Amino acid sequence: MMDASTDQLRTLAAVVDHGTFDRAAAALHITPSAVSQRIKSLEEQSGRVLVRRSKPIQATEAGAVLLRLARQVALLEAEAAAELEGGDGAAATPIPLVVNADSLATWVLPALATVQGAVFDIALDDQEHTIDRLRDGTAMGAIGSDPEPVQGCTVTALGAMRYRPLASPAFVERWCPDGWTAERAAVAPMLVYNRKDALQDRYVAALAPGARPPRHFVPASTEFVGAAVLGLGWGMVPDLQADPLVADGRLVVLDPGGAVDVPLYWQQWSLHSAALDAVAAAITHAAAGALRPAPPRPPNAEGHVNAPKTPL
């Protein structure tokens, strides 16, 4: 039976967070040799290799399991310490979250600002890939588009962000003065957030199958919209960012029937934590005011609508 100590778990988290044994040692105020010994002892107890000695160091699949445990222990310890000191139990330990860029740029930060006493470590990822960080133990909560809960997590439907294909008036004048067609979409330059971003490609595939238009990669949400305003290309922009720009004429809707609703879900570890519960409450409350009602989920092979599941 494995009997991992708090020091061993804290060391595992530090090694993954800081990427090397030396940096983890500096953060923990111990020697690199002590870090190595703790990791080696934890691996011997678990009978598994827990970290890949790469640059940066990464957790293995078994290591991710213990990394989640390490973060849970750290959060609960911090909450208990705060409560014993006469506070409200709010934890000062950082709560790692992963959020899609468009949500972070619009409605998420105001939501997190309402959570008193919490400290956040926010990472960005495409909404289709945020749950990867829940699986590998590097995040406690995630906003993404996957409705199926990661093992050991709960999931809550938040609503949907509506995206529309938009471009500047100058772009329209140059590339599609007679209207937005499949032929124009096949050759007009488009904006893509990064190589994980498939939203524009899916739209083009439906409008002009087989087309591979030229693309600009703009890996920041606000700058992505700015690139569209400047006429660099067209892109799928969420209404939360686009509405004022469409209203004042800086952006134009290329295809009024081309709106795409992207459902979003909140996933978090199944952990009784006052801090994490407060974050979840703030996120769901803000989403109710910012997002559209999510479209109904398609039926499965048996004709039943799949509902998000919460593990027992």
Side-chain angles (χ1 to χ4, degrees), residues 12-290:
L12 175 63
V15 165
V16 174
D17 288 344
H18 295 281
T20 70
F21 283 18
D22 287 346
R23 291 175 183 171
L28 295 172
H29 305 292
I30 58 178
T31 66
S33 176
V35 169
S36 180
Q37 289 172 4
R38 288 180 183 180
I39 296 299
K40 181 179 179 181
S41 176
L42 192 57
E43 289 180 328
E44 289 174 348
Q45 290 180 50
S46 65
R48 302 283 192 280
V49 175
L50 301 178
V51 294
R52 298 185 185 91
R53 273 68 170 178
S54 54
K55 292 185 178 181
I57 288 175
Q58 295 179 325
T60 63
E61 185 175 348
V65 175
L66 292 184
L67 183 60
R68 288 195 295 271
L69 176 60
R71 298 201 192 285
Q72 291 170 356
V73 169
L75 180 61
L76 294 177
E77 279 185 334
E79 289 185 352
E83 194 169 352
L84 288 172
E85 291 171 3
D88 58 4
T93 190
I95 299 175
L97 305 175
V98 58
V99 182
N100 62 306
D102 293 333
S103 291
L104 187 66
T106 51
W107 62 274
V108 166
L109 282 180
L112 297 180
T114 67
V115 183
Q116 299 298 313
V119 178
F120 302 106
D121 182 353
I122 303 172
L124 288 177
D125 210 334
D126 184 83
Q127 61 263 13
E128 296 182 3
H129 298 272
T130 56
I131 63 170
D132 293 342
R133 294 179 183 256
L134 285 174
R135 291 193 180 99
D136 66 19
T138 56
M140 295 180 183
I143 296 173
S145 59
D146 195 328
E148 299 301 327
V150 173
Q151 184 177 4
C153 294
T154 61
V155 62
T156 302
L158 297 176
M161 292 190 78
R162 170 159 288 185
Y163 291 75
R164 293 180 292 168
L166 301 178
S168 70
F171 180 94
V172 171
E173 180 63 27
R174 178 179 179 183
W175 290 99
C176 52
D178 298 322
W180 185 244
T181 64
E183 291 74 20
R184 294 289 85 203
V187 296
M190 72 181 188
L191 302 170
V192 181
Y193 181 80
N194 61 23
R195 285 164 178 79
K196 293 181 179 179
D197 177 15
L199 195 55
Q200 283 75 211
D201 282 313
R202 288 177 186 156
Y203 171 81
V204 170
L207 181 64
R212 291 288 297 172
R215 61 198 61 209
H216 302 286
F217 290 97
V218 186
S221 184
T222 301
E223 285 71 16
F224 183 99
V225 177
V229 171
L230 292 170
L232 197 63
W234 71 271
M236 303 294 291
V237 180
D239 282 355
L240 289 174
Q241 290 173 297
D243 282 348
L245 299 172
V246 172
D248 68 16
R250 283 184 285 172
L251 287 177
V252 176
V253 179
L254 295 175
D255 179 2
V260 176
D261 287 339
V262 177
L264 294 176
Y265 301 86
W266 166 253
Q267 294 210 33
Q268 71 176 69
W269 291 349
S270 301
L271 177 69
H272 182 64
S273 158
L276 200 52
D277 289 346
V279 173
I283 290 291
T284 53
H285 177 75

